[in-house]
């Protein structure tokens, strides 16, 4: 019945296996036949050595890497006797991306994932992309590298995965707009005064999706949607004014594509990342996935309303970054990661994150473009330095 079993084992490398995307990926793979259906040439994590070692043993991975160079011995010990090769640090991470494979799940969070993911792109592997920061920071270079490498780019972000599913390839010229849905996060109905006082713990409690810490807080500030607007621009070649955001608290409609004849196609499903992950790793087939089926008779209502950009300034910042172009995406992301870390550490308030990103973008609005990946890292470093200095200055 399932044609997945008629194939040779599919080789899937997992970058960021110990995170939310990584764990869900391994869960989907287990449901789709586990070691009989998949081989795992390489797997990476960072500080959670016990989990990484357990995952590597269960999957029978060829190569296990911790991004933390100081944890090499710990990982080596945890995998002793398994025959699994062990590596640590940035160069081992890139080597994991370069290992011969069919598909790479790019599940690292932040710009830290750019180098290993690009290594995989250059090797010609298909890329299941969750690590949106790659496109936000280095969209043009990433697209060029994809074309050169020859692999397929399969979006895992649920909104982009939805658009990918309903975008008629032969009718791309007829696409008028794409509509990204957003749950609105836990502060959808908060006033600015209330938002000013929230803690990282409250901000991390997403109403619908279970995700990693950083993306959960980014969802609360709508910086996640801001990154997704830029991600959509690069993935689908849209102009900034063709990308709309609509608040949809139920997270059932995962996103939509509007065509020139007025028709709107949407993809719907339960809010469970295992759908987008399973779709991406099974593409172009559809595999039977262990996600809840929608019962339309029980869905009370689906609501939609416009986002309030005074409470969520991140959306306007994404538009500014797209209009300015060049390295502004890298700057937005670098400043955002720095401000987010400061918010998590209790050093700044929730609303200050957007102020810091806006000011950093303005300071680095010098029309520079990226010719190489080094230019992207330089812009990222500069944005972090400026954002940090801003936070250290007394208000
Ligand atoms: P997470 O924090 O749960 O996991 C991140 C993974 O990256 C972990 O394996 C961690 O060890 C690794 N990592 C962290 N810092 C690293 C570094 N400096 N160097 C190398 N590895 C590092 O994050 P997540 O929620 O799984 O998100 C991963 C990516 O997927 C992000 O880009 C996120 O925006 C995107 N995404 C996630 C979800 C979701 O449901 N979690 C949905 C859509 C998109
Ligand atoms: Mg998303």
């Amino acid at each position: 019945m399932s044609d997945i079993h008629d194939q040779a084992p599919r080789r899937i490398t997992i970058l960021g296996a110990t995170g939310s995307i990584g764990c869900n990926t391994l869960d989907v793979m287990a449901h789709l036949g586990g070691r009989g259906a998949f081989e795992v040439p390489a797997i990476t994590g960072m500080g959670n050595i016990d989990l990484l070692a357990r995952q590597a043993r269960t999957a029978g991975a060829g190569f296990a890497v911790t991004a933390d160079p100081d944890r090499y011995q710990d990982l080596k010990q945890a995998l002793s006797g398994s025959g699994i090769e062990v590596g640590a640090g940035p160069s081992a991470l890139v080597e994991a991306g370069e290992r011969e494979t069919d598909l790479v799940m790019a599940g690292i969070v932040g710009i830290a994932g750019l180098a290993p993911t690009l290594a995989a792109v250059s090797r010609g592997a298909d890329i299941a992309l969750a690590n949106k920061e790659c496109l936000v920071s280095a969209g043009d270079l990433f697209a060029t590298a994809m074309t050169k490498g020859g692999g397929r780019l399969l979006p895992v972000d649920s909104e982009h995965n939805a658009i990918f599913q309903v975008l008629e390839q032969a009718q791309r010229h007829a696409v008028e707009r794409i509509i990204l849905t957003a749950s609105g996060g836990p502060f959808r109905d908060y006033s600015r005064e209330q938002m000013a006082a929230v803690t990282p713990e409250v901000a991390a409690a997403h109403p619908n999706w279970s995700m990693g810490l950083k993306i959960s807080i980014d969802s609360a500030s709508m910086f996640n949607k801001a990154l997704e607007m830029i991600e959509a621009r690069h993935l689908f070649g849209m102009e900034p004014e063709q990308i709309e955001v609509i608040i949809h608290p139920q997270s059932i409609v995962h996103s939509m594509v509007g065509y020139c004849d007025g028709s709107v196609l949407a993809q719907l499903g339960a809010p469970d990342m295992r759908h987008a992950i399973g779709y991406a790793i099974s593409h172009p087939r559809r595999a039977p996935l262990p996600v809840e089926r929608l019962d339309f008779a029980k869905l009370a209502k689906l609501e939609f309303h416009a986002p309030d950009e005074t409470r969520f300034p991140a959306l306007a910042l994404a538009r500014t970054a797209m209009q300015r172009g060049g390295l502004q995406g890298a700057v937005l992301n670098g400043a955002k990661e720095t401000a987010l870390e400061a918010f998590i550490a209790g050093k700044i308030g929730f609303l200050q994150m957007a102020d810091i990103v806006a000011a950093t973008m303005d300071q680095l609005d010098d029309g520079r473009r990226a010719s190489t990946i080094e230019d992207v890292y330089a812009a990222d470093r500069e944005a972090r330095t400026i954002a940090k200095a801003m936070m250290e200055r007394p208000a």
Side-chain angles (χ1 to χ4, degrees), residues 10-14 26 29 38-43 59-63:
R10 191 158 157 71
R11 297 167 302 175
I12 300 186
T13 281
I14 308 168
L26 285 162
M29 287 163 68
F38 299 99
E39 283 172 10
V40 177
I43 194 168
F63 185 38

mmCIF file of all heavy atoms in Angstrom, residues 10-14 26 29 38-43 59-63:
data_model
loop_
_atom_site.group_PDB
_atom_site.id
_atom_site.type_symbol
_atom_site.label_atom_id
_atom_site.label_comp_id
_atom_site.label_asym_id
_atom_site.label_seq_id
_atom_site.Cartn_x
_atom_site.Cartn_y
_atom_site.Cartn_z
ATOM 1 N N ARG A 10 15.408 6.124 2.368
ATOM 2 C CA ARG A 10 15.651 7.526 2.027
ATOM 3 C C ARG A 10 16.619 8.075 3.069
ATOM 4 O O ARG A 10 16.429 7.879 4.279
ATOM 5 C CB ARG A 10 14.314 8.252 2.068
ATOM 6 C CG ARG A 10 14.308 9.614 1.503
ATOM 7 C CD ARG A 10 12.878 9.964 1.113
ATOM 8 N NE ARG A 10 12.660 11.400 1.065
ATOM 9 C CZ ARG A 10 13.172 12.181 0.125
ATOM 10 N NH1 ARG A 10 13.925 11.674 -0.822
ATOM 11 N NH2 ARG A 10 12.915 13.478 0.135
ATOM 12 N N ARG A 11 17.646 8.771 2.592
ATOM 13 C CA ARG A 11 18.659 9.286 3.523
ATOM 14 C C ARG A 11 18.303 10.723 3.937
ATOM 15 O O ARG A 11 18.163 11.592 3.084
ATOM 16 C CB ARG A 11 20.042 9.262 2.871
ATOM 17 C CG ARG A 11 20.504 7.847 2.536
ATOM 18 C CD ARG A 11 21.709 7.877 1.632
ATOM 19 N NE ARG A 11 21.432 8.592 0.385
ATOM 20 C CZ ARG A 11 22.341 8.849 -0.556
ATOM 21 N NH1 ARG A 11 23.600 8.457 -0.378
ATOM 22 N NH2 ARG A 11 22.013 9.490 -1.657
ATOM 23 N N ILE A 12 18.141 10.925 5.235
ATOM 24 C CA ILE A 12 17.775 12.257 5.735
ATOM 25 C C ILE A 12 18.736 12.695 6.840
ATOM 26 O O ILE A 12 18.846 12.033 7.878
ATOM 27 C CB ILE A 12 16.324 12.278 6.275
ATOM 28 C CG1 ILE A 12 15.345 11.886 5.152
ATOM 29 C CG2 ILE A 12 15.974 13.654 6.842
ATOM 30 C CD1 ILE A 12 13.886 12.013 5.517
ATOM 31 N N THR A 13 19.446 13.775 6.586
ATOM 32 C CA THR A 13 20.292 14.387 7.609
ATOM 33 C C THR A 13 19.451 15.393 8.378
ATOM 34 O O THR A 13 18.639 16.098 7.773
ATOM 35 C CB THR A 13 21.500 15.080 6.932
ATOM 36 O OG1 THR A 13 22.465 14.077 6.601
ATOM 37 C CG2 THR A 13 22.148 16.127 7.836
ATOM 38 N N ILE A 14 19.639 15.449 9.700
ATOM 39 C CA ILE A 14 18.838 16.375 10.503
ATOM 40 C C ILE A 14 19.741 17.366 11.239
ATOM 41 O O ILE A 14 20.464 17.000 12.164
ATOM 42 C CB ILE A 14 17.950 15.618 11.508
ATOM 43 C CG1 ILE A 14 17.128 14.541 10.767
ATOM 44 C CG2 ILE A 14 17.016 16.580 12.236
ATOM 45 C CD1 ILE A 14 16.438 13.566 11.684
ATOM 46 N N LEU A 26 11.988 13.365 13.659
ATOM 47 C CA LEU A 26 12.282 11.967 14.018
ATOM 48 C C LEU A 26 11.004 11.208 14.339
ATOM 49 O O LEU A 26 10.874 10.023 14.023
ATOM 50 C CB LEU A 26 13.267 11.930 15.196
ATOM 51 C CG LEU A 26 14.709 12.291 14.770
ATOM 52 C CD1 LEU A 26 15.551 12.679 15.971
ATOM 53 C CD2 LEU A 26 15.349 11.111 14.014
ATOM 54 N N MET A 29 9.415 10.336 11.038
ATOM 55 C CA MET A 29 10.182 9.256 10.403
ATOM 56 C C MET A 29 9.884 7.913 11.061
ATOM 57 O O MET A 29 9.761 6.885 10.378
ATOM 58 C CB MET A 29 11.682 9.581 10.453
ATOM 59 C CG MET A 29 12.083 10.689 9.481
ATOM 60 S SD MET A 29 13.691 11.444 9.840
ATOM 61 C CE MET A 29 14.809 10.106 9.470
ATOM 62 N N PHE A 38 14.283 4.714 6.491
ATOM 63 C CA PHE A 38 15.176 5.881 6.464
ATOM 64 C C PHE A 38 16.572 5.544 6.977
ATOM 65 O O PHE A 38 16.728 4.744 7.897
ATOM 66 C CB PHE A 38 14.616 7.006 7.343
ATOM 67 C CG PHE A 38 13.274 7.517 6.904
ATOM 68 C CD1 PHE A 38 12.114 7.071 7.534
ATOM 69 C CD2 PHE A 38 13.164 8.417 5.856
ATOM 70 C CE1 PHE A 38 10.871 7.531 7.135
ATOM 71 C CE2 PHE A 38 11.919 8.884 5.447
ATOM 72 C CZ PHE A 38 10.770 8.435 6.085
ATOM 73 N N GLU A 39 17.545 6.190 6.382
ATOM 74 C CA GLU A 39 18.893 6.211 6.948
ATOM 75 C C GLU A 39 19.186 7.645 7.354
ATOM 76 O O GLU A 39 18.664 8.577 6.744
ATOM 77 C CB GLU A 39 19.919 5.755 5.907
ATOM 78 C CG GLU A 39 19.920 4.256 5.719
ATOM 79 C CD GLU A 39 20.792 3.809 4.557
ATOM 80 O OE1 GLU A 39 21.549 4.651 4.009
ATOM 81 O OE2 GLU A 39 20.691 2.633 4.205
ATOM 82 N N VAL A 40 20.016 7.805 8.370
ATOM 83 C CA VAL A 40 20.345 9.156 8.847
ATOM 84 C C VAL A 40 21.867 9.335 8.770
ATOM 85 O O VAL A 40 22.582 8.969 9.694
ATOM 86 C CB VAL A 40 19.817 9.365 10.289
ATOM 87 C CG1 VAL A 40 20.219 10.740 10.821
ATOM 88 C CG2 VAL A 40 18.295 9.210 10.326
ATOM 89 N N PRO A 41 22.343 9.910 7.669
ATOM 90 C CA PRO A 41 23.789 10.077 7.517
ATOM 91 C C PRO A 41 24.399 10.968 8.595
ATOM 92 O O PRO A 41 25.509 10.707 9.056
ATOM 93 C CB PRO A 41 23.943 10.731 6.137
ATOM 94 C CG PRO A 41 22.689 10.385 5.401
ATOM 95 C CD PRO A 41 21.613 10.316 6.445
ATOM 96 N N ALA A 42 23.668 11.995 9.016
ATOM 97 C CA ALA A 42 24.214 12.888 10.048
ATOM 98 C C ALA A 42 23.096 13.525 10.846
ATOM 99 O O ALA A 42 21.980 13.693 10.353
ATOM 100 C CB ALA A 42 25.081 13.975 9.413
ATOM 101 N N ILE A 43 23.431 13.887 12.085
ATOM 102 C CA ILE A 43 22.449 14.440 13.017
ATOM 103 C C ILE A 43 23.193 15.446 13.893
ATOM 104 O O ILE A 43 24.329 15.212 14.262
ATOM 105 C CB ILE A 43 21.855 13.252 13.817
ATOM 106 C CG1 ILE A 43 20.596 13.619 14.562
ATOM 107 C CG2 ILE A 43 22.834 12.640 14.770
ATOM 108 C CD1 ILE A 43 19.887 12.358 15.096
ATOM 109 N N ALA A 59 18.285 6.183 15.672
ATOM 110 C CA ALA A 59 18.189 6.338 14.214
ATOM 111 C C ALA A 59 19.301 5.585 13.494
ATOM 112 O O ALA A 59 19.261 5.453 12.266
ATOM 113 C CB ALA A 59 18.234 7.816 13.852
ATOM 114 N N GLY A 60 20.319 5.122 14.238
ATOM 115 C CA GLY A 60 21.470 4.498 13.599
ATOM 116 C C GLY A 60 22.230 5.499 12.739
ATOM 117 O O GLY A 60 22.633 5.205 11.610
ATOM 118 N N ALA A 61 22.418 6.709 13.289
ATOM 119 C CA ALA A 61 23.065 7.785 12.521
ATOM 120 C C ALA A 61 24.514 7.431 12.193
ATOM 121 O O ALA A 61 25.162 6.669 12.911
ATOM 122 C CB ALA A 61 23.022 9.081 13.333
ATOM 123 N N GLY A 62 25.004 8.006 11.085
ATOM 124 C CA GLY A 62 26.389 7.775 10.700
ATOM 125 C C GLY A 62 27.334 8.711 11.432
ATOM 126 O O GLY A 62 28.453 8.349 11.779
ATOM 127 N N PHE A 63 26.878 9.944 11.681
ATOM 128 C CA PHE A 63 27.738 11.002 12.207
ATOM 129 C C PHE A 63 26.894 11.852 13.136
ATOM 130 O O PHE A 63 25.813 12.305 12.746
ATOM 131 C CB PHE A 63 28.243 11.815 11.006
ATOM 132 C CG PHE A 63 29.253 12.894 11.306
ATOM 133 C CD1 PHE A 63 30.249 12.723 12.267
ATOM 134 C CD2 PHE A 63 29.244 14.084 10.571
ATOM 135 C CE1 PHE A 63 31.190 13.727 12.504
ATOM 136 C CE2 PHE A 63 30.189 15.084 10.797
ATOM 137 C CZ PHE A 63 31.165 14.907 11.764
#
